[in-house]
Amino acid sequence: MALSYTVQAIQQLPGHEDRAWHVCWNPTKPLLASCSADKSVRVYQYNDAANFSHLTTISTGHTKTVRSLAWAPSGKTLATASFDANIGIWEQEDGDWECASLLEGHETECKSVAYSSSGTLLASCSRDKTVWIWEVHPDSDFECLSVLMEHTQDVKCVSWHPTEEILASASYDDTIKMYLDDPSDDWFCFLTLTGHTSTVWSLAWSPEKSYLASASDDKTVRIWRRVAQHKWECALVLEGNERSVYSVTWGPGKAPSSSLGWVAAVGGDGFIRVWELSENEDSSLHHNLIAQLPNAHDVHDVNSAVWCPRQGFQDLLATTGDDGTTRIWRVESKIDHV
Amino acid sequence: MAVEIFNPNPTIFTSSKPSKSLKPESIWVSDPFDIKDDADTFESDELIDQDEIFDLIRSINDPEHPNTLEELRVVSAPQITVSGNRIMVEFTPTVPHCGLSTLIGLSIRVRLLRALPSRFKVDITLKPGSHQSEIAVNRQLNDKERVAAALENPALVQTLEQTLANAMLRGQPAE
């Protein structure tokens, strides 16, 4: 079957001395950060021609793997989640990245951190089964607002809705949960999405805001549609992955504006797969596999994939893998090359 | 290590002969080929079959008893499947309530991680019906993140190293 797009290798960024777990694009500056089992964070800069160069390595100070990272919406702060159970908050002081704050509290490995769209809230999650919500104050002061103990197993990923203060979490207990703040009381879980038959590793919200994608150890990617203000239902199950799917990302790509954009997924089978999604007239979802690349990181697992959020660069995809490299790809239409 | 002994009277089986891939003169442990157990020993095109995988894991020590996994029939060649770059290892705990099953499974995983080239994907599971918490143990053993975090726990790594201390013997008796 001939696919209409190809995944072009743009650049390979080696440097981590152990597996690279996660990568994150800065939302306001041409920077990309990756984190690794080698306990460091590598920061790269890129120019308009998509040439990437290594800018600096933050040796953190975490005593174990740095598993995940998140840039604040301002682009000025970086949060790291570590297996040492702590969260590091990093800011630049005269060009050097320094630890502005260390958030302690989780009892076991911290797996994921995420800033809300306003930047005033930070969420974290852990193998201790909890999701923590922190309020971001000036001078890197953080106040824990809530400790949510709704999952029955490790929580692997947290992700905020692109505009609303709705938090989603993905777990080893096979479910996805969503949380809201009750102003008169506390944060609470208002929805549990079941359907996956194994650990849910990763979550990604659609750019047009109504859909959520989830990636699972059950080798599928599920797309959940918002059917009411506080209700989502499974609208589509994307198959084709041969092993665990570790990461899913959703961006506009270079898809027509009438579509829902591009979903990319990566995992243990080493493939990068890209689907274009759109809504049919009857509101059902149309999906089309537009690109596929085997052995993206040679024989190694691919742990993370993230679309570039920057205007004009939304066909760029960054991935990290067990080989310790970060790789940059562009999804290109075959038609352009005729 | 658990204070409770899970199986005070395990059945011990005699080891089978070392597999055909070993040369007769490699009986002595001082042979460098048998001591080296990292991925360098494998040529990139060398065929790795179920006997080879069994050879790698048969001399892992049981954490509870002074016996190898082969002697206790926890692992055996017929319980290993190699399909392309995918390896599936089934292991049988000596008793269905064995609380050290996760540790045994982890020692198999670490041994293969260190000994095999990177291209192999390894799935480790309990023999169906052999354990009362089969699903939970299987899930832990095949969760890459859980395994990675466990290997950053110094106390657990120390226990693991004890089980792996003689793994390179490949079925031959310890001195």
Side-chain angles (χ1 to χ4, degrees), chain A residues 125-306:
Chain A
C125 64
S126 162
R127 179 164 66 88
D128 67 11
K129 307 178 196 141
T130 66
V131 170
W132 289 48
I133 298 181
W134 311 79
E135 188 162 49
V136 184
H137 293 296
D139 291 334
S140 299
D141 194 22
F142 287 76
E143 182 193 341
C144 177
L145 295 181
S146 192
V147 175
L148 296 151
M149 293 181 277
E150 304 287 339
H151 281 294
T152 56
Q153 293 280 4
D154 319 10
V155 189
K156 299 289 204 185
C157 177
V158 279
S159 180
W160 291 94
H161 185 275
T163 51
E164 296 174 48
E165 278 185 355
I166 293 175
L167 180 67
S169 62
S171 172
Y172 187 100
D173 70 12
D174 308 350
T175 71
I176 297 157
K177 288 183 182 283
M178 290 203 199
Y179 313 84
L180 274 175
D181 189 17
D182 174 350
S184 64
D185 194 358
D186 194 5
W187 284 80
F188 67 102
C189 170
F190 68 89
L191 183 66
T192 298
L193 298 175
T194 55
H196 279 300
T197 55
S198 190
T199 298
V200 187
W201 282 104
S202 170
L203 299 168
W205 295 88
S206 64
E208 63 71 78
K209 310 179 194 78
S210 311
Y211 293 86
L212 177 68
S214 58
S216 170
D217 178 62
D218 69 9
K219 303 183 243 185
T220 69
V221 170
R222 281 184 180 240
I223 310 292
W224 311 81
R225 177 204 285 118
R226 192 174 202 172
V227 297
Q229 194 192 9
H230 295 134
K231 192 161 181 229
W232 273 258
E233 282 175 357
C234 187
L236 184 63
V237 178
L238 294 171
E239 289 171 324
N241 304 286
E242 288 159 30
R243 290 184 72 80
S244 259
V245 190
Y246 291 127
S247 181
V248 64
T249 179
W250 201 332
K254 296 271 191 213
S257 53
S258 55
S259 82
L260 293 170
W262 290 348
V263 170
V266 293
D269 69 5
F271 273 79
I272 293 172
R273 289 187 179 84
V274 186
W275 292 267
E276 187 172 297
L277 300 185
S278 55
E279 268 177 353
N280 294 323
E281 274 171 24
D282 62 356
S283 293
S284 63
L285 282 179
H286 175 78
H287 68 281
N288 195 19
L289 181 72
I290 62 170
Q292 182 168 269
L293 182 83
N295 306 317
H297 283 253
D298 308 313
V299 298
H300 304 275
D301 287 2
V302 189
N303 297 319
S304 177
V306 192

Side-chain angles (χ1 to χ4, degrees), chain B residues 68-80:
Chain B
T68 65
L69 297 187
E70 175 182 12
E71 286 166 349
L72 296 171
R73 283 276 198 277
V74 173
V75 297
S76 62
Q79 285 189 281
I80 298 166

